[in-house]
């Protein structure tokens, strides 16, 4: 492409974010800042999404603080408070409300939402605001508040989307209201998504309703037959009630279908560079030093555990 304008750069970044390639998205953004045009608000929305998933604090410091996904919540609040209230918009409010919810500060979140409504700034909550509120209610176990916010969507003239329904299922499932969650899914005007059923499965497992968990687990495999987590989830359900043959059968069915368990990975940011690690990973250029430090920590943990065990006389206890 001979000329790359802000639209083409933004499209590339957005495509990477939607494809789950968050590190690549930030790399393209970094290149854009050096050789490309100035980013606009569309670009920054995609960058913020990537930062939120990766926990990248140094990529775009002030903007990323608003997203609040990496732990710098106090800094985020300080930056937010520096903005004159009459210059705020719903994106800013959503970012800080979502950040508070992510870090479990549900009470502060609700107070901030009240402030948002009481300011008389003409900033009305949108679908994202209510999604942040519902997600926080799930974490805080606030069932009544969640129902209030969910019903407020329609009262405000907004139609709940699948993400809002999924949050309500999560709220009910975490609280052990599994029958209510099951009925809620059955009465929805939309088809249940894997995320909804996944939340219900987690609730069933947590509250030991393995009969319902099996039904949900089988439905998830039906919806996503090539998803490794769905097969493993149902296998774990069987293992939870010691149905070892069923658990083994699920693993064998997964292998016959050619579904492989994808290794989990994590990102660590060091001096503005994102480093990706998976279990037993030795591809990093500093692997020798990394494993030397890890082994030192593990040896120290063993020493500490051994000391505590001797101190409390646990050796004779059969676990």
């Amino acid at each position: 492409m001979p000329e790359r304008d802000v639209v083409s750069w933004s499209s590339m970044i957005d495509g990477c974010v939607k494809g789950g390639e968050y590190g690549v998205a930030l790399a393209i953004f970094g290149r854009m800042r050096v050789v490309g045009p100035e980013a606009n608000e569309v670009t920054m929305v995609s960058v913020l999404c990537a930062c939120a998933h990766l926990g990248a604090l140094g990529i775009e410091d002030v903007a990323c603080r608003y997203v609040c996904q990496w732990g710098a919540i106090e800094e985020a609040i300080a930056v937010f408070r520096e903005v004159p209230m009459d210059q705020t918009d719903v994106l800013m409010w959503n970012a800080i409300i979502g950040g508070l919810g992510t870090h479990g500060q549900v009470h502060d979140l609700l107070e901030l939402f009240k402030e948002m409504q009481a300011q008389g700034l003409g900033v009305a909550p949108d679908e994202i605001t209510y999604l942040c509120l519902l997600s926080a209610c799930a974490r805080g176990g606030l069932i009544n508040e969640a129902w209030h916010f969910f019903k407020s969507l329609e009262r405000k003239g907004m139609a709940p989307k699948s993400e809002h329904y999924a949050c309500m299922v999560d709220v009910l499932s975490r609280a052990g209201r599994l029958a209510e969650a099951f009925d809620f899914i059955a009465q929805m005007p939309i088809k249940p998504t894997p995320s909804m059923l996944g939340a219900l499965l987690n609730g069933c497992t947590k509250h030991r309703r393995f009969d319902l968990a099996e039904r949900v687990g089988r439905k998830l495999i039906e919806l996503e037959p090539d998803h490794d987590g769905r097969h493993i989830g149902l296998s774990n359900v069987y293992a939870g009630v010691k149905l070892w043959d069923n658990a083994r059968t699920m693993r064998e069915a997964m292998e016959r279908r050619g579904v492989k368990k994808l290794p989990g990975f994590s990102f660590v940011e060091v001096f503005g560079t994102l480093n990706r690690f998976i279990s037993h990973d030795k591809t990093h250029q500093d692997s020798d030093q990394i494993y030397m430090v890890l082994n030192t920590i593990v040896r120290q943990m063993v020493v500490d555990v051994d000391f505590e065990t001797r101190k409390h006389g646990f050796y004779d206890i059969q676990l």
Side-chain angles (χ1 to χ4, degrees), residues 138-318:
R139 291 188 177 90
L142 305 178
I143 300 173
N144 293 334
E145 289 83 352
W147 276 120
H148 169 74
F149 292 134
F150 184 80
K151 293 174 181 177
S152 294
L153 277 165
E154 293 187 345
R155 287 199 296 267
K156 300 289 186 180
M158 294 174 276
K161 293 182 169 57
S162 63
E163 293 85 357
H164 299 104
Y165 285 104
C167 275
M168 275 308 307
V169 174
D170 193 25
V171 169
L172 297 171
S173 299
R174 291 194 190 206
R177 307 266 280 266
L178 302 175
E180 191 174 348
F182 197 83
D183 291 341
F184 179 77
I185 290 176
Q187 296 171 11
M188 291 188 311
I190 61 175
K191 291 183 178 180
T193 63
S195 62
M196 296 177 197
L197 296 179
L200 180 57
L201 178 62
N202 291 336
C204 292
T205 304
K206 175 184 176 182
H207 297 283
R208 305 189 66 79
R209 280 293 306 276
F210 295 109
D211 54 334
L212 186 57
E214 182 182 17
R215 294 170 58 188
V216 177
R218 289 196 173 279
K219 182 63 177 177
L220 276 169
I221 292 176
E222 181 183 320
L223 290 175
E224 296 184 314
D226 296 323
H227 192 298
D228 63 314
R230 305 313 183 195
H231 294 267
I232 294 169
L234 184 54
S235 176
N236 291 339
V237 168
Y238 288 133
V241 290
K242 299 183 179 180
L243 294 175
W244 307 117
D245 290 342
N246 295 42
R248 184 172 56 255
T249 299
M250 284 305 307
R251 298 275 181 167
E252 291 171 351
M254 179 177 168
E255 292 178 4
R256 284 196 304 271
R257 191 175 180 86
V259 180
K260 297 185 180 296
K261 184 181 184 302
L262 298 176
F265 60 88
S266 59
F267 284 98
V268 178
E269 183 187 1
V270 180
F271 301 124
T273 300
L274 289 170
N275 300 271
R276 182 176 182 268
F277 296 97
I278 62 173
S279 179
H280 306 293
D281 185 7
K282 293 188 178 181
T283 59
H284 195 277
Q285 60 182 4
D286 297 321
S287 286
D288 291 341
Q289 293 91 328
I290 291 170
Y291 277 98
M292 181 179 68
V293 173
L294 286 175
N295 289 331
T296 301
I297 294 172
V298 170
R299 285 195 297 270
Q300 186 60 50
M301 290 171 63
V302 171
V303 171
D304 290 344
V305 170
D306 184 60
F307 173 78
E308 289 298 318
T309 302
R310 290 176 179 274
K311 177 181 176 181
H312 296 286
F314 288 155
Y315 277 136
D316 295 330
I317 298 176
Q318 298 296 320

Side-chain angles (χ1 to χ4, degrees), residues 4-195:
R4 303 172 186 175
D5 59 10
V6 67
V7 175
S8 58
W9 282 97
S10 299
S11 297
M12 282 292 296
I13 294 170
D14 184 58
C16 290
V17 170
K18 289 179 178 176
E21 298 292 341
Y22 308 113
V24 176
L26 293 184
I28 294 174
F29 175 64
R31 182 65 176 166
M32 177 184 180
R33 295 174 67 191
V34 175
V35 302
E38 184 177 352
N40 62 15
E41 60 269 22
V42 176
T43 318
M44 291 312 303
V45 167
S46 298
V47 171
L48 288 171
C49 290
C51 291
H53 281 89
L54 295 181
L57 180 59
I59 304 292
E60 185 64 34
D61 193 38
V62 173
C64 290
R65 286 178 186 181
Y66 279 123
V67 184
C68 310
Q69 295 288 335
W70 51 87
I73 188 65
E74 298 302 327
E75 290 182 88
I77 294 172
V79 172
F80 177 76
R81 292 301 185 189
E82 289 176 2
V83 180
M85 286 292 103
D86 60 351
Q87 295 181 22
T88 60
D89 58 19
V90 70
L91 295 176
M92 291 183 182
W93 285 94
N94 287 349
I96 199 69
I97 288 172
L100 288 169
T102 298
H103 293 283
Q105 299 183 27
V106 181
H107 176 74
D108 293 336
L109 175 152
L110 295 177
E111 290 300 315
L112 190 67
F113 180 63
K114 291 179 183 177
E115 181 181 339
M116 176 186 183
Q117 294 179 304
Q119 285 287 345
L121 303 171
V123 180
D126 61 8
E127 292 94 336
I128 302 300
T129 315
Y130 284 105
L131 188 61
C132 293
L133 293 168
L134 289 170
S135 179
C137 289
R139 291 188 177 90
L142 305 178
I143 300 173
N144 293 334
E145 289 83 352
W147 276 120
H148 169 74
F149 292 134
F150 184 80
K151 293 174 181 177
S152 294
L153 277 165
E154 293 187 345
R155 287 199 296 267
K156 300 289 186 180
M158 294 174 276
K161 293 182 169 57
S162 63
E163 293 85 357
H164 299 104
Y165 285 104
C167 275
M168 275 308 307
V169 174
D170 193 25
V171 169
L172 297 171
S173 299
R174 291 194 190 206
R177 307 266 280 266
L178 302 175
E180 191 174 348
F182 197 83
D183 291 341
F184 179 77
I185 290 176
Q187 296 171 11
M188 291 188 311
I190 61 175
K191 291 183 178 180
T193 63
S195 62

